[in-house]
């Protein structure tokens, strides 16, 4: 048999879960200041991108689908690869302000990547106010997760304007190879093997999901049985369209760490608390805040500290946003309590409904996603929205000698969940990208403003007279 490279189970949801209105690609919008590089232009930018991308074999691969979606696709080389299909430019209408930039970036994001070619695009956006540029990168999530994407970005970019010497790139990236186009016999054997294993593997996963609950209830009754959390319905938990809108903001890392250290929680807990406060305020303005707390889906990385590969190594967990609590400190405490339990559970190998989807052939996943009623999606997935926190770079980064001032992530909204808040740490800031369906989330820029307000609210709680000790009284609801 020829050597082939098939998509992993972790990747299949991103390929088969794509519909006319659901995109499974992610993006990164970066602001570039060219003032120290007066020669910087599209041709200069394009040449540097071609040099660096040529060192990443993954950017030359495309998908080879299995007929009728009976098995996972294969990665193969694009024999007709051309940078002209992937490196593009566009100019903003005047005055080229930040809101206009977000509108153009969301519009560029809101189209499917061409599956007959490698699944990525890079846009240089010209005409920003102050003579600046923006860099928008789109790539399909089946290629890599958030941490993998940042490792890829480190190959394209530099940590100084004019680096000296040859670059060292991890062999797990440079030595990666796509496979050959599989022949009919091999393709058929693989598909048959995966399909015949499906019933037993699904039963095993169902057992893994249910076993801890059964043991806890009947064998090791260490605590009272907890029912599955109720998922409320809000105005943004409805059928989404193919349109996307974007808002963004930057929050000083020193302020986030001050809150983190004062309350002795994780940085991710602080991020969730800020999102909770912002979404809570948004829903209150529209008289749409449920009595039951909203919940969020959070990707959890399963990478080891030495893993440098470009791939998807992530699972998911759901955590409360405690939006029913009026006291911001009580919200943070409740988020911290539940997120610690959820992370321990996710990293212990506990299974979720996502693992069941990963076993299915693409045609079955596609059928479920196409037919899934939007109002039931939050109940099935256990969340109202998605929040993700990606580790970035503590040092400034440069592309073609031009410093990156800001980097705002653009991520996926899914069926019945019209809000995604993703953040990435960069230099001295946490950079937030908020992607929404504008029909379901009007005035989405107010969410970015409310993130800033929520941070100020927590900073006020960190004053010298405030104590970080856990509260003993029951939290007050709204």
């Amino acid at each position: 048999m020829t050597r082939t490279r098939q998509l992993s189970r972790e990747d299949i949801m991103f390929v088969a879960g794509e519909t006319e209105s659901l995109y499974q690609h992610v993006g990164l919008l970066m602001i570039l200041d060219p003032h120290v590089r007066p020669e910087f232009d599209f041709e200069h930018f394009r040449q540097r991108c071609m040099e660096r991308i040529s060192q990443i074999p993954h950017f030359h691969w495309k998908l080879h689908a299995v007929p009728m979606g009976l098995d996972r696709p294969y990665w193969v080389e694009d024999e007709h690869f051309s940078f002209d299909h992937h490196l593009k430019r566009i100019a903003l209408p005047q005055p080229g302000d930040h809101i206009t930039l977000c509108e153009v970036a969301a519009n560029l994001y809101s189209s499917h990547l061409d599956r007959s070619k490698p699944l990525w695009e890079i846009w240089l956006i010209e005409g920003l106010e102050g003579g600046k540029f923006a860099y928008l990168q789109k790539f399909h999530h089946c290629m890599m997760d958030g941490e993998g994407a940042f490792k890829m970005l480190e190959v394209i970019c530099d940590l100084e304007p004019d680096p000296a010497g040859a670059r060292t790139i991890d062999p797990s990236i440079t030595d990666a190879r796509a496979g050959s186009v599989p022949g009919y016999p091999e393709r058929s054997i693989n598909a048959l093997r995966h399909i015949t294993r499906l019933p037993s593997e699904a039963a095993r996963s169902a057992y893994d999901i249910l076993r801890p609950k059964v043991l806890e209830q009947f064998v090791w009754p260490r605590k009272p049985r907890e029912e599955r959390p109720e998922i409320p319905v809000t105005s943004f938990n409805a059928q989404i369209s193919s349109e996307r809108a974007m808002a963004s903001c930057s929050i000083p890392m020193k302020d986030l760490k001050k809150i983190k250290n004062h309350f002795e929680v994780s940085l991710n807990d602080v991020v969730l608390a800020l999102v909770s406060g912002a979404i809570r305020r948004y829903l209150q303005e529209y008289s749409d805040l449920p009595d039951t707390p909203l919940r969020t889906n959070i990707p959890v990385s399963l990478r080891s500290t030495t893993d440098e590969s470009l791939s998807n190594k992530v699972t998911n967990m759901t955590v409360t946003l405690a939006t029913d609590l009026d006291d911001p400190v009580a919200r943070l405490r409740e988020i911290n309590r539940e997120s610690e339990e959820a992370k321990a559970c996710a990293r212990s190998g506990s299974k979720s409904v996502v693992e069941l989807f990963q076993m299915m052939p693409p045609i079955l996943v596609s059928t479920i996603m196409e037919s899934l009623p939007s109002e039931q999606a939050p109940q099935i997935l256990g969340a109202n929205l998605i929040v993700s926190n990606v580790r970035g770079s503590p040092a400034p980064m440069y592309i073609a000698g031009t410093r990156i001032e800001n980097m705002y992530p653009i991520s996926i909204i899914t069926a019945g969940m019209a809000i995604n808040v993703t953040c990435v740490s960069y230099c001295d800031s946490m950079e937030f990208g908020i992607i929404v369906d504008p029909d379901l989330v009007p005035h989405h820029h107010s969410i970015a403003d409310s993130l800033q307000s929520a941070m100020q609210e927590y900073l006020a709680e960190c004053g010298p007279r405030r104590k970080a000790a856990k509260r003993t009284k029951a939290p007050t609801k709204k």
Side-chain angles (χ1 to χ4, degrees):
M1 291 186 180
T2 58
R3 182 182 61 85
T4 58
R5 187 183 185 113
Q6 196 168 21
L7 254 68
S8 70
R9 286 181 173 179
E10 291 77 15
D11 302 333
I12 195 59
M13 279 290 293
F14 302 117
V15 174
E18 209 158 40
T19 69
E20 185 177 339
S21 60
L22 295 181
Y23 309 112
Q24 295 292 347
H25 55 259
V26 294
L28 189 62
L29 178 65
M30 298 186 286
I31 312 299
L32 311 179
D33 185 354
H35 289 109
V36 296
R37 281 288 191 277
E39 72 276 14
F40 183 86
D41 58 14
F42 178 69
E43 289 305 319
H44 188 72
F45 170 81
R46 184 177 185 275
Q47 184 61 37
R48 179 60 61 89
C49 285
M50 289 193 297
E51 292 171 1
R52 296 299 173 82
I53 289 172
S54 295
Q55 301 176 68
I56 309 176
H58 309 66
F59 276 46
H60 293 251
W61 302 352
K62 67 178 182 177
L63 291 178
H64 179 82
V66 174
M68 296 185 292
L70 293 177
D71 199 9
R72 303 191 299 269
Y74 294 81
W75 286 117
V76 299
E77 288 283 344
D78 181 6
E79 297 178 354
H80 305 288
F81 177 83
S82 170
F83 280 108
D84 291 338
H85 295 148
H86 303 277
L87 296 175
K88 307 179 182 184
R89 66 194 296 189
I90 194 172
L92 294 182
Q94 292 302 308
D97 57 13
H98 189 75
I99 290 180
T100 304
L101 173 62
C102 286
E103 291 175 352
V104 170
N107 186 59
L108 293 176
Y109 174 88
S110 303
S111 60
H112 288 289
L113 291 163
D114 185 351
R115 289 205 185 181
S116 69
K117 299 178 176 64
L119 298 173
W120 63 273
E121 293 176 355
I122 289 178
W123 292 80
L124 184 67
I125 304 175
E126 304 169 352
L128 274 69
E129 56 187 357
K132 297 180 181 181
F133 292 80
Y135 165 117
L136 175 66
Q137 179 173 299
K138 289 172 57 175
F139 64 92
H140 204 283
H141 210 317
C142 71
M143 293 177 64
M144 62 195 82
D145 57 23
E147 289 197 25
F150 214 89
K151 296 178 188 302
M152 173 270 299
L153 189 65
E154 290 174 340
V155 177
I156 297 176
C157 300
D158 299 298
L159 294 177
E160 52 187 314
D162 298 298
R167 297 170 55 81
T168 300
I169 304 174
D170 193 273
S172 65
I173 297 176
T174 57
D175 295 348
R177 295 293 180 268
S180 304
V181 176
Y184 177 78
E186 181 177 5
R187 201 170 57 206
S188 301
I189 291 170
N190 286 341
L192 181 61
R193 183 190 303 123
H194 293 149
I195 290 173
T196 54
R197 286 177 180 174
L198 179 59
S200 61
E201 291 181 344
R204 191 179 304 117
S205 283
Y207 172 77
D208 290 339
I209 293 170
L210 297 174
R211 182 174 180 272
K213 296 177 174 60
V214 173
L215 290 176
E216 184 178 284
Q217 182 176 0
F218 296 108
V219 182
W220 302 319
R222 300 177 181 178
K223 60 182 179 180
R225 180 187 177 190
E226 296 181 2
E227 295 183 358
R228 188 174 188 270
E230 179 185 350
I231 311 299
V233 176
T234 71
S235 56
F236 55 78
N237 296 128
Q239 184 173 353
I240 65 173
S241 70
S242 60
E243 297 296 318
R244 300 291 183 268
M246 179 187 178
S248 63
C249 68
S250 302
I251 291 181
M253 189 65 74
K254 64 178 179 63
D255 291 336
L256 295 175
K257 289 182 177 179
K258 181 177 181 180
I259 299 168
K260 165 188 175 294
N261 295 334
H262 181 81
F263 293 105
E264 298 180 345
V265 296
S266 72
L267 194 63
N268 196 60
D269 293 335
V270 178
V271 167
L272 291 176
L274 298 188
V275 173
S276 173
I279 297 298
R280 190 174 190 273
R281 178 172 299 186
Y282 178 86
L283 291 174
Q284 283 178 324
E285 290 177 356
Y286 287 88
S287 301
D288 191 33
L289 180 64
D291 293 331
T292 304
L294 270 63
R295 298 186 66 81
T296 182
N297 184 290
I298 306 173
V300 179
S301 176
L302 299 178
R303 287 177 179 271
S304 67
T305 55
T306 58
D307 188 346
E308 296 293 328
S309 63
L310 305 184
S311 60
N312 281 291
K313 296 185 179 178
V314 66
T315 187
N316 291 280
M317 66 181 190
T318 62
V319 173
T320 184
L321 288 179
T323 49
D324 58 326
L325 303 180
D326 186 54
D327 183 353
V329 176
R331 289 200 300 271
L332 177 57
R333 292 296 182 204
E334 183 63 13
I335 289 168
N336 168 253
R337 181 193 67 79
E338 207 176 292
S339 65
E340 288 301 311
E341 293 178 359
K343 282 187 287 188
C345 185
R347 288 174 176 153
S348 68
S350 296
K351 304 293 184 181
S352 68
V353 69
V354 173
E355 277 74 17
L356 289 176
F357 275 100
Q358 290 173 351
M359 295 176 187
M360 300 177 185
I363 184 62
L364 186 53
V365 177
S366 298
T367 301
I368 293 173
M369 294 302 294
E370 289 281 3
S371 59
L372 181 64
S374 296
E375 65 275 10
Q376 293 181 17
Q379 309 300 323
I380 294 172
L381 299 176
N384 300 92
L385 66 156
I386 301 168
V387 181
S388 183
N389 182 1
V390 180
R391 180 176 55 193
S393 172
M397 300 180 74
Y398 300 81
I399 184 164
T402 302
R403 177 172 171 147
I404 300 171
E405 287 193 337
N406 304 95
M407 52 175 68
Y408 302 115
I410 307 173
S411 200
I412 298 166
I413 61 175
T414 191
M417 299 185 211
I419 298 180
N420 180 306
V421 181
T422 298
C423 59
V424 59
S425 56
Y426 178 61
C427 290
D428 299 323
S429 297
M430 187 70 82
E431 310 278 76
F432 285 80
I434 303 160
I435 192 80
V436 304
D437 180 336
D439 294 334
L440 299 178
V441 190
H443 309 296
H444 54 280
H445 287 284
S446 67
I447 297 176
D449 296 335
S450 293
L451 284 171
Q452 303 277 8
S453 300
M455 183 195 66
Q456 294 301 326
E457 191 173 37
Y458 279 105
L459 287 175
E461 296 285 344
C462 295
R465 295 184 180 179
R466 302 290 302 196
K467 293 184 178 181
K470 294 184 178 180
R471 297 172 181 266
T472 57
K473 294 182 178 180
T476 303
K477 294 194 175 185
K478 70 180 182 66

